[in-house]
């Protein structure tokens, strides 16, 4: 399956960490169906440790209890996902999400549960045991739940075939596979095994690799094995992380498109970190949020909302439903940075792209610490004629051989013309 556009959806991590529950997922899915689906948002993704009955925050419980079936496969914790009782797994929740016209996804960690290895758990479709396929020296640095799988061992493919067969049975549409993108090359064989098992399970699923930073020299491997891969570690609402993303996107922009999506990570907008009284809403200013959506959209990063959807304010809804900007996200082609320079004491950044439907996009960013006025001759992007177009956020029309803009500090504007 080659995705024609970068995935758009919601992920539970930014707001709930490892502690999301079925009720919360259903309510966010309902909100997406009612308010965002018509704009292209469609994936609802349950992030890490859904098998842990005692998960309570963004912190992991080291060597905590994980729910598992007889074949060493993690299953949802029934106290958090009650519809999974009776061996149903995520099938009822996925069915509900599908009934809303949306798609359902889950997070997994690379490897096989340590508890299964220590208990010599069985593997479906093989006479080997969990301890016989585990690579005990391949351990995630920040989560101790799993051992890596040795792809060369008999039974390794059977294990991965069995978990993806289970996910297909549940109706999963999206897999976020963690602890795989930045640890190369010793997990390369395991990545290839995961990809082959997923592609062979009989159900179309998006394969998303985390965390970053992915390795640029492995770009072709990611393209061959996955649909999207993280180009950064966890992205949060800090200007320095957003500022750093310009150089990351510049490095990866030539690898975007044709079913391959370098991923700038989730959008920490609205209410995040499980606090909805206003104290823990995003720390990004409104201008910084416009900058983030503009860069993500012209670059065509996947767009995954991190905030609690039911607590979206008016600004966040407008941010996520601007049809002109979302059209740039779907139609932008060959996006790249044109220049990055100091103009009267402010660092200004210019990106451009062509549209799949004809015409051009321009994105202009003020990364400086004061407001600025700037005029950009279209000859900077090798357009030598007068044009007519529109600024995407405001809808303001313009014409001529240059673009004139007033940009606030950390702000952005985006333009389309044909």
């Amino acid at each position: 399956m080659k995705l024609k556009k970068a995935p758009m959806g919601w992920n539970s991590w930014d707001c709930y960490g490892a502690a999301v529950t079925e009720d919360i997922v259903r309510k966010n899915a309902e909100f997406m169906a009612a308010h965002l689906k018509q704009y292209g948002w469609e994936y609802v993704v349950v992030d890490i440790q859904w098998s842990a009955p005692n998960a309570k925050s963004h912190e992991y419980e080291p060597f905590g209890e994980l729910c598992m079936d007889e074949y060493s496969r993690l299953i949802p914790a029934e106290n958090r996902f009650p519809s999974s009782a009776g061996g149903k797994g995520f099938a009822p929740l996925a069915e509900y999400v599908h009934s809303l016209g949306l798609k359902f996804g889950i997070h997994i960690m690379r490897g096989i549960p340590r508890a299964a290895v220590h208990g010599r758990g069985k593997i479906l479709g093989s006479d080997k045991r969990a301890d016989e396929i585990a690579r005990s020296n391949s351990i995630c640095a920040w989560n101790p739940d799993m051992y890596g799988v040795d792809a060369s061992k008999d039974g390794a493919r059977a294990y991965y075939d069995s978990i993806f067969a289970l996910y297909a049975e549940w109706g999963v549409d999206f897999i976020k596979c963690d602890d795989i993108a930045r640890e190369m090359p010793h997990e390369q064989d395991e990545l290839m095994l995961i990809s082959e098992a997923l592609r062979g399970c009989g159900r179309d699923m998006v394969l998303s690799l985390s965390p970053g930073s992915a390795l640029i020299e492995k770009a072709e491997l990611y393209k061959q094995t996955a649909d999207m891969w993280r180009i950064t570690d966890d992205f949060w609402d800090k200007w320095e992380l957003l500022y750093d993303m310009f150089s990351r996107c510049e490095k990866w922009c030539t690898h975007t498109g044709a079913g391959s999506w370098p991923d700038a990570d989730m959008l920490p907008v609205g209410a995040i970190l499980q606090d909805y009284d206003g104290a823990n809403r995003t720390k990004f200013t409104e201008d910084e949020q416009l900058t983030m959506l503009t860069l993500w959209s012209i670059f065509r990063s996947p767009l995954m909302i991190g905030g609690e959807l039911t607590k979206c304010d008016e600004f966040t809804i407008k941010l996520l439903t601007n049809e002109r900007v979302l059209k740039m996200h779907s139609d932008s082609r060959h996006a790249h940075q044109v220049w990055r320079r100091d103009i009267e004491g402010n660092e200004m950044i210019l990106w451009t792209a062509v549209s799949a439907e004809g015409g051009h996009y321009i994105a202009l960013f003020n990364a400086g610490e004061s407001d600025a006025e700037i005029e950009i001759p279209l000859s900077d992007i090798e357009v030598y004629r007068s044009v007519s177009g529109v600024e995407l956020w405001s809808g303001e029309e313009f014409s001529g051989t240059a673009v004139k803009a007033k940009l606030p500090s950390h702000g952005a504007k985006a333009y389309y013309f044909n």
Side-chain angles (χ1 to χ4, degrees), residues 357-370:
E357 296 185 353
H360 295 261
Y361 289 107
I362 289 177
L364 182 60
F365 305 93
N366 179 4
E369 298 306 314
S370 60

Side-chain angles (χ1 to χ4, degrees), residues 190-382:
E190 190 169 2
L191 170 58
M192 295 176 70
L193 193 62
I194 289 167
S195 178
E196 291 166 2
L198 181 148
R199 305 305 180 202
C201 75
R203 182 179 179 84
D204 284 340
M205 299 182 197
V206 173
L207 180 56
S208 168
L209 306 181
S210 287
S213 301
L215 305 177
I216 191 73
E217 62 268 25
K218 296 292 183 180
E220 294 307 318
L221 172 66
Y222 303 139
K223 292 178 186 179
Q224 293 167 24
T225 55
D227 300 290
M228 52 188 278
W229 56 91
R230 284 263 295 278
I231 63 173
T232 178
D233 204 341
D234 284 4
F235 179 80
W236 286 102
D237 49 341
K238 299 177 181 179
W239 167 248
E240 57 267 28
L241 297 180
L242 179 51
Y243 178 80
D244 179 63
M245 198 61 67
F246 285 100
S247 59
R248 294 179 184 274
C249 290
E250 180 189 15
K251 181 170 70 172
W252 281 98
C253 64
T254 58
H255 297 286
T256 295
S260 302
W261 309 108
D263 178 14
D265 200 18
M266 287 177 279
L267 303 168
V269 297
I272 58 177
L273 296 173
Q274 301 187 73
D275 187 341
Y276 316 129
D277 62 4
N280 280 341
R281 297 190 74 84
T282 182
K283 295 179 178 63
F284 279 140
T285 67
E286 291 186 358
D287 288 319
E288 288 167 348
Q289 292 176 69
L290 290 175
T291 289
M292 176 173 60
L293 262 294
T294 301
L295 179 60
W296 268 237
S297 293
I298 196 168
F299 173 70
R300 284 201 293 170
S301 169
L303 300 178
M304 302 299 289
I305 304 164
E308 167 58 55
L309 294 181
T310 66
K311 301 298 180 179
C312 280
D313 57 13
E314 182 179 0
F315 173 81
T316 306
I317 290 294
K318 288 183 177 179
L319 183 78
L320 299 174
T321 59
N322 183 301
E323 293 183 271
R324 290 181 292 267
V325 173
L326 293 176
K327 185 169 179 59
M328 178 171 69
H329 181 255
S330 64
D331 290 358
S332 168
R333 299 291 187 273
H334 315 303
H336 61 278
Q337 180 177 295
V338 180
W339 49 247
R340 184 172 186 165
R341 58 180 63 150
D342 182 276
I343 299 179
E344 296 183 358
N346 278 304
E347 184 178 8
M348 310 297 288
I349 305 170
L350 177 65
W351 276 65
T352 190
V354 296
S355 168
E357 296 185 353
H360 295 261
Y361 289 107
I362 289 177
L364 182 60
F365 305 93
N366 179 4
E369 298 306 314
S370 60
D371 298 350
E373 293 188 32
I374 188 171
E375 180 172 330
I376 307 296
L378 295 180
S379 58
D380 280 10
I381 61 166
E382 299 186 270

